[in-house]
Amino acid sequence: MDKNVIEFLIKAKKETYAGKGGETVSSRPNSHDLQYSEGSLKYIDTYLGGSKFAGEEALWNDNIPFWSMNYIGRVIGDNFSGDFLKEALFNVPEEYPFRGPVEYINGDNSYYCKINGDFHWFNGFEEIFYKKNKIYECIFHGGDIAL
C-alpha cells in the first residue's frame, strides 16, 4: 500500500497548497484548510498563521486516520517569496514525500531540505536562502498513527 499512498500524497500536495489549489471551509477559527480525496483516500492540510505558521497534513483511508505530519515555520528575512516555496514544494520527491526536494534552486532563491527517517517515522528541516541570506525556516515531523 505504501507506493499507492505515497503517489496519492504527492498528487494531493500538487493539487492543494503547492499547486495553488483553493482553500476549503476553515475547520478552526482563521485556519487555512486544503483537501483532496481520491477513492477511499483523503488528504487534509490545515495551518494557522502567515509569516509565522504551524500546521498539519494528514491522511485517512475510509475516514480512519493513518498518517500525519506536523510543521512549524517562519519567515526570518527580506525577499521571501511564497510562490518560490510553493514551487519547491511542488517538486516533492517520491523517496521523501514530506516537503520539497533535498535541493531546489531558481535564480537567487535556494531551497534545502534535510530529512531523517522514512515515511513511517521521520523528522526534518527546510530552509530558503535569498542570495545566500537565510530568509525562511521550517521544521517538520511525522509518521504512522493509529487510533
Side-chain angles (χ1 to χ4, degrees):
M1 180 174 172
D2 284 354
K3 184 164 176 51
N4 292 338
V5 167
I6 290 170
E7 288 173 0
F8 169 78
L9 177 59
I10 290 170
K11 186 174 183 182
K13 288 173 176 278
K14 291 181 176 186
E15 292 289 329
T16 55
Y17 184 80
K20 301 179 183 178
E23 293 185 12
T24 60
V25 176
S26 292
S27 60
R28 298 174 285 174
N30 297 308
S31 68
H32 303 272
D33 293 61
L34 301 107
Q35 292 188 29
Y36 180 79
S37 296
E38 192 173 280
S40 64
L41 294 173
K42 180 186 290 184
Y43 164 88
I44 299 175
D45 178 9
T46 182
Y47 67 95
L48 305 169
S51 61
K52 293 180 181 175
F53 61 90
E56 176 185 64
E57 295 178 27
L59 295 174
W60 286 257
N61 187 16
D62 289 325
N63 289 319
I64 297 172
F66 67 92
W67 183 90
S68 180
M69 176 181 72
N70 297 104
Y71 55 88
I72 188 165
R74 63 188 180 159
V75 175
I76 57 173
D78 296 332
N79 299 304
F80 173 77
S81 167
D83 286 339
F84 174 74
L85 173 60
K86 289 178 181 181
E87 188 179 308
L89 297 178
F90 194 85
N91 287 286
V92 58
E94 188 174 316
E95 62 272 18
Y96 300 113
F98 315 116
R99 297 289 289 169
V102 172
E103 178 180 277
Y104 182 78
I105 299 171
N106 186 352
D108 292 327
N109 291 293
S110 304
Y111 170 95
Y112 301 98
C113 188
K114 297 173 184 152
I115 298 154
N116 299 305
D118 61 21
F119 185 75
H120 304 287
W121 188 260
F122 63 90
N123 63 65
F125 183 77
E126 68 184 6
E127 305 170 292
I128 293 178
F129 292 80
Y130 178 79
K131 293 185 177 179
K132 299 187 180 186
N133 294 313
K134 185 173 168 179
I135 60 170
Y136 164 91
E137 60 188 4
C138 176
I139 58 174
F140 56 91
H141 63 271
D144 295 334
I145 57 173
L147 293 175

